Structures are given as C-alpha cells and as structure tokens.
C-alpha cells in the first residue's frame, strides 16, 4: 500500500511540495477513517505481550511530558506488562512507541513508499493519548514531521521555527 493511495491527488501534491520547499502545511479533514486500517486497537496489546521491548526509548509511557518510570509497567526482566499499560492508559497516561514500522508490515510498506517518494528517511512514531490528557508539552522537533491523527480530537498549534534562517 502506498501512502499516496490514502490521500487525494491534490493532498499528496500539496504534501510533497511542502516537504520539498520546507513549508508547514496543516490539512484538517473529517475523513480520518481512511487511515483506520493502519492500526487496530488490539495491536497495541499484541505488541506489549508478544514483542520484546528491550529498548527503553522505543516504548515509553508519558504524562504531561514526564516519563512514567519503567518499573511501573515492566516486569523484573524488562518486558512490558500489557495489563499495567492498560491500567496506566485508563488513568490518563499516553503510550509512545518509536519505530512502529518494526511491528507492522503495513506501516513498514507505507514508510518505505514515503521514503521512495520523498527521497528521505522515514521513521514512524505512534502515540495513543486518552481523552483530556496530554503526552508532550510545547516542544520542537529537529526533523520534519507528518502527523496523522486517526481518532478523537486534539488542538494542534503549529509555530514557525524561530531558529530557522530560511
């Protein structure tokens, strides 16, 4: 599956042009259902239960920009405890997973397709944040970011990077 198959031709053209010219672009759409096939609710539990998460920075829990200590959701061997993740999530903690392409063939296929189209490396990060919670505070990223919000509502404030001389 190609990413360009999930968006309209004009959306893809705008996205690609903004990437090439390093301009910010926000596309608000009420049709997020088209991205629903990228991730199902049960997949997070499957990743927790069946995939070793030895790298502490790839799988973490966060609440208002503060990391939850791994001991709260990992066993004595460092394995993620799915039940603890579910409880913490129900209590307002966000789940953050780097390199989602390592855990989903569909996401891997989309990431590699984007790399070919944009001629740039792609890494997919996953965040699940309960309603009325916040994972990260105001921050800046040193890399380009494409956000796909698949469920719920969130207010996004996009600021121009004042350190950018272009």
């Amino acid at each position: 599956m190609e990413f360009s198959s999930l968006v309209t031709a004009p959306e893809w053209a705008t996205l690609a042009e903004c990437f090439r010219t390093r301009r910010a672009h926000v596309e608000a759409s009420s049709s997020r259902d088209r991205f629903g096939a990228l991730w199902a609710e049960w997949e997070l539990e499957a990743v927790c239960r069946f995939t070793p998460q030895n790298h502490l920075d790839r799988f973490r829990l966060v609440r208002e920009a503060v990391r939850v200590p791994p001991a709260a959701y990992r066993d004595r061997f460092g394995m993620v405890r799915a039940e603890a993740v579910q409880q913490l999530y129900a209590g307002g903690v966000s789940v953050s997973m780097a390199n989602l392409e390592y855990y989903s063939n569909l996401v891997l296929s989309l990431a590699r397709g984007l790399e070919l189209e944009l001629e740039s490396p792609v890494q997919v990060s996953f965040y699940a944040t309960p309603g009325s919670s916040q994972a990260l505070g105001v921050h800046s990223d040193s890399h380009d970011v494409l956000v796909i919000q698949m469920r719920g509502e969130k207010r996004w404030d996009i600021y121009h990077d004042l350190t950018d001389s272009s």
Side-chain angles (χ1 to χ4, degrees):
M1 175 183 283
E2 296 294 321
F3 185 79
S4 56
S5 70
L6 296 172
V7 296
T8 66
E11 288 172 325
W12 176 249
T14 300
L15 173 70
E17 178 63 19
C18 287
F19 177 80
R20 287 183 184 89
T21 59
R22 302 196 48 80
R23 288 183 295 124
H25 175 71
V26 176
E27 181 77 31
S29 173
S30 60
S31 60
R32 290 189 298 250
D33 291 344
R34 62 184 158 172
F35 300 108
L38 295 179
W39 190 257
E41 295 293 327
W42 61 266
E43 289 180 281
L44 179 58
E45 182 176 351
V47 166
C48 290
R49 289 189 187 280
F50 305 115
T51 308
Q53 297 292 334
N54 301 328
H55 300 281
L56 294 179
D57 286 338
R58 285 197 192 140
F59 188 96
R60 60 193 176 136
L61 301 185
V62 184
R63 182 195 304 249
E64 297 178 10
V66 177
R67 286 184 71 164
V68 173
Y73 60 92
R74 290 181 181 269
D75 65 19
R76 62 188 176 104
F77 303 107
M79 297 296 291
V80 173
R81 294 181 298 122
E83 297 82 9
V85 170
Q86 290 170 338
Q87 274 188 324
L88 289 163
Y89 180 83
V93 171
S94 297
V95 177
S96 169
M97 189 167 27
N99 302 108
L100 187 63
E101 66 275 18
Y102 293 177
Y103 309 105
S104 166
N105 287 334
L106 179 58
V107 173
L108 175 63
S109 173
L110 288 169
R112 296 306 165 255
L114 270 173
E115 286 181 338
L116 289 172
E117 291 285 336
L118 299 175
E119 299 176 348
S120 181
V122 170
Q123 174 190 320
V124 179
S125 297
F126 169 86
Y127 286 87
T129 301
S132 72
S133 294
Q134 181 176 343
L136 304 175
V138 174
H139 68 282
S140 64
D141 292 306
S142 60
H143 52 274
D144 295 319
V145 176
L146 169 65
V147 175
I148 299 172
Q149 181 171 336
M150 296 174 20
R151 292 180 185 89
E153 294 180 15
K154 181 175 183 174
R155 188 177 118 196
W156 291 87
D157 294 321
I158 312 293
Y159 299 96
H160 177 71
D161 183 358
L162 299 176
T163 62
D164 186 7
S165 59
S166 58

